[in-house]
Amino acid sequence: MLDLSYFRSHFDEVAARLATRASVPSLDRFRELDRRRRSAISEAEQLKAQVNAESAEIGKLRREGADTGDRQDRVRELKARIADGDEVVKAVDAEFGELMKGIPNLPHESVPVGKDESANVEVRRVGQPREFDFPPKAHWDLGAELGILDLERAAKITGARFALYWDMGAKLERALINFMLDVHTREHGYTEVLPPFMVNSKSLFGTGQLPKFQEDLFKCEGTDFWLIPTAEVPVTNIYSGETLEADALPVKLCAYTPCFRSEAGSYGRDVRGIIRVHQFQKVELVKFTRPEDSYDELEKLTADAEDILRRLGLPFRTVVLATGDMGFSAAKTYDIEVWLPGQNGYKEISSCSNYEAFQARRAAIRCRGGKKSEFAHTLNGSGLAVGRTWVAIVENYQQKDGTVIIPEALRPYLNQEVIRPRK
């Protein structure tokens, strides 16, 4: 959530910056509310001045023995009008606060301005897409032919957009989770946590999923429990309502969790395979930093996520998202996109974002250096989305005979070099 006092005192500047984002609510109501609030406060100040003047006159008249009944009635009338004005301000502030919950974060000045993904800017490209001497297959065909991915039985068990992995398909998924966690904890300096896979509404508000994105979530009927859309939610809320010591920052956490998303509004997109599903696994990176360090830490977090792809030998590119393509809570986002030969294009495999104080303000996460206390900055990114990494390996390392070579970095986890058709 944005700082309310800054929002009010820099309204035109804030409005101009928000206008570069997509689907921003109209700010006309804010203008009207602010006008009403200023008017009510101004009137109340004038009335209080009149009360003070009348009270002084009443005191003078009493000392002279004069009747002050009419003036006392006048003071009571003025005080009633002041109370009414205070109620107006209270109601306006409450509505203002509710509306603020739907206002996205301000884009950082370094973010390219543009209405959608067409304005995203590529910042680097690593590795060259492999040139095949045969037509490369998509993972949904390869997975079925190898007997490691079964979408039909998953649909029977649950429904569309779920996956069932068999044998080396399941083992590859598990190997990727362990590999990612090992690299991030042993070499990148993150502390592993295993959070709950369900959270309450307060936690989802803290990271910005509620109230705006309720339709994208799965809720457990009759409870205040929601299935997590990403480990960002429970891991960020580990410190909700707490104050961190600035000297201990940055705090760097990583977590494996399943993730659950309704994918509302995505129908017709990536309908085949496991690119866009309702349940998937992910290893998430989360940082808590001092405000002055957060953009340096964003570069490091993005590099940590990229390192997984480098070690796996997968071609990728990194783009900085334009203002109109960023998520609700982000001030700046890098998307890392892996090359998928079966789809002949790059697909997002990680989004690395700096939220500045936006989430910390909603979740009341502060940091303190000496006597000074301020909101911390929060960051997170996938390190990586496991299912999409699985897809990238199967498609990029496929062979003409239908087998899949296992990247060297994963062989210690799988004790074999090739995935062959399951008998």
Side-chain angles (χ1 to χ4, degrees), residues 41 53 86 88 123 138 193 205 236 242 246 248 283-284 292 302 312 352 372 381 383 385 394 397 407:
I41 291 174
D86 288 343
V88 169
V123 295
V193 296
F205 174 80
T236 302
E242 297 186 28
V283 170
E284 191 78 359
E292 61 268 27
T302 304
L312 294 173
C352 301
K372 180 183 178 183
V394 169
Y397 283 96

Side-chain angles (χ1 to χ4, degrees), residues 5-49:
S5 62
Y6 184 88
F7 186 93
R8 282 187 166 129
S9 60
H10 298 80
F11 189 88
D12 290 337
E13 176 194 341
V14 169
R17 292 172 67 184
L18 288 175
T20 66
R21 299 198 56 141
S23 304
V24 176
S26 171
L27 300 184
D28 290 345
R29 182 59 178 164
F30 286 99
R31 294 182 188 274
E32 171 60 20
L33 288 172
D34 204 44
R35 186 196 64 77
R36 285 179 56 195
R37 184 178 189 274
R38 291 177 186 274
S39 176
I41 291 174
S42 176
E43 182 179 359
E45 289 174 347
Q46 294 176 28
L47 292 173
K48 289 174 184 177

Side-chain angles (χ1 to χ4, degrees), residues 343-389:
Q343 280 113 101
N344 193 36
Y346 288 95
K347 281 287 184 181
E348 176 207 331
I349 198 167
S350 174
S351 281
C352 301
S353 299
N354 185 356
Y355 301 101
E356 296 186 356
F358 190 85
Q359 291 181 329
R361 189 170 286 110
R362 297 168 75 103
I365 303 170
R366 305 184 72 90
C367 63
R368 177 176 53 223
K371 296 182 179 180
K372 180 183 178 183
S373 174
E374 59 186 332
F375 287 109
H377 280 196
T378 62
L379 303 85
N380 71 60
S382 303
L384 303 161
V386 179
R388 293 191 179 191
T389 311

Side-chain angles (χ1 to χ4, degrees), residues 185-313:
T185 56
R186 295 174 183 175
E187 301 186 41
H188 295 160
Y190 293 81
T191 298
E192 182 178 349
V193 296
L194 183 61
F197 300 161
M198 293 190 288
V199 293
N200 56 33
S201 298
K202 182 180 179 182
S203 293
L204 286 162
F205 174 80
T207 46
Q209 281 79 15
L210 287 180
K212 187 174 178 63
F213 301 104
Q214 180 172 333
E215 66 176 6
D216 295 323
L217 305 169
F218 288 109
K219 191 174 191 294
C220 299
E221 186 175 358
T223 73
D224 188 37
F225 296 153
W226 304 72
L227 300 180
I228 60 170
T230 166
E232 165 198 346
V233 181
V235 176
T236 302
N237 279 282
I238 288 173
Y239 293 114
S240 63
E242 297 186 28
T243 298
L244 303 169
E245 293 300 325
D247 290 344
L249 300 179
V251 171
K252 300 166 58 176
L253 307 177
C254 71
Y256 149 75
T257 66
C259 305
F260 305 90
R261 299 183 185 178
S262 71
E263 294 294 345
S266 70
Y267 297 99
R269 298 172 57 197
D270 301 316
V271 293
R272 300 196 67 182
I274 57 172
I275 293 295
R276 194 176 298 276
V277 288
H278 294 309
Q279 176 189 321
F280 59 96
Q281 281 63 245
K282 190 149 66 81
V283 170
E284 191 78 359
L285 309 176
V286 176
K287 288 187 179 185
F288 304 84
T289 79
R290 294 179 296 187
E292 61 268 27
D293 297 333
S294 64
Y295 279 95
D296 286 340
E297 292 297 335
L298 174 62
E299 298 299 324
K300 294 176 183 178
L301 185 148
T302 304
D304 291 339
E306 291 175 339
D307 187 42
I308 299 297
L309 293 173
R310 292 176 189 270
R311 291 169 185 253
L312 294 173

Side-chain angles (χ1 to χ4, degrees), residues 62-194:
R62 281 178 172 173
R63 287 192 295 272
E64 295 173 353
D67 182 15
T68 61
D70 290 343
R71 287 185 177 274
Q72 287 179 318
D73 289 342
R74 172 64 174 162
V75 167
R76 282 190 286 271
E77 178 188 343
L78 291 171
K79 287 184 176 180
R81 289 173 61 187
I82 291 171
D84 290 342
D86 288 343
E87 288 300 313
V88 169
V89 172
K90 184 178 178 180
V92 166
D93 283 345
E95 184 176 352
F96 210 101
E98 285 300 310
L99 290 174
M100 284 291 290
K101 295 176 183 178
I103 299 299
N105 203 353
L106 297 180
H108 187 259
E109 60 186 11
S110 65
V111 173
V113 175
K115 64 180 180 179
D116 54 33
E117 63 183 14
S118 65
N120 295 348
V121 176
E122 183 175 314
V123 295
R124 57 187 157 269
R125 187 175 293 214
V126 177
Q128 292 296 321
R130 174 183 164 194
E131 292 186 7
F132 290 83
D133 58 2
F134 61 93
K137 296 179 180 179
H139 67 279
W140 53 81
D141 291 326
L142 279 165
E145 291 169 7
L146 289 166
I148 61 174
L149 180 64
D150 193 335
L151 300 178
E152 291 183 2
R153 284 192 173 98
K156 177 181 69 174
I157 295 168
T158 310
R161 297 199 176 191
F162 286 89
L164 168 66
Y165 297 93
W166 284 95
D167 193 34
M168 284 302 296
K171 291 177 181 177
L172 177 59
E173 185 93 354
R174 176 159 53 92
L176 283 168
I177 293 168
N178 288 333
F179 168 67
M180 293 175 189
L181 289 173
D182 286 347
V183 171
H184 292 314
T185 56
R186 295 174 183 175
E187 301 186 41
H188 295 160
Y190 293 81
T191 298
E192 182 178 349
V193 296
L194 183 61

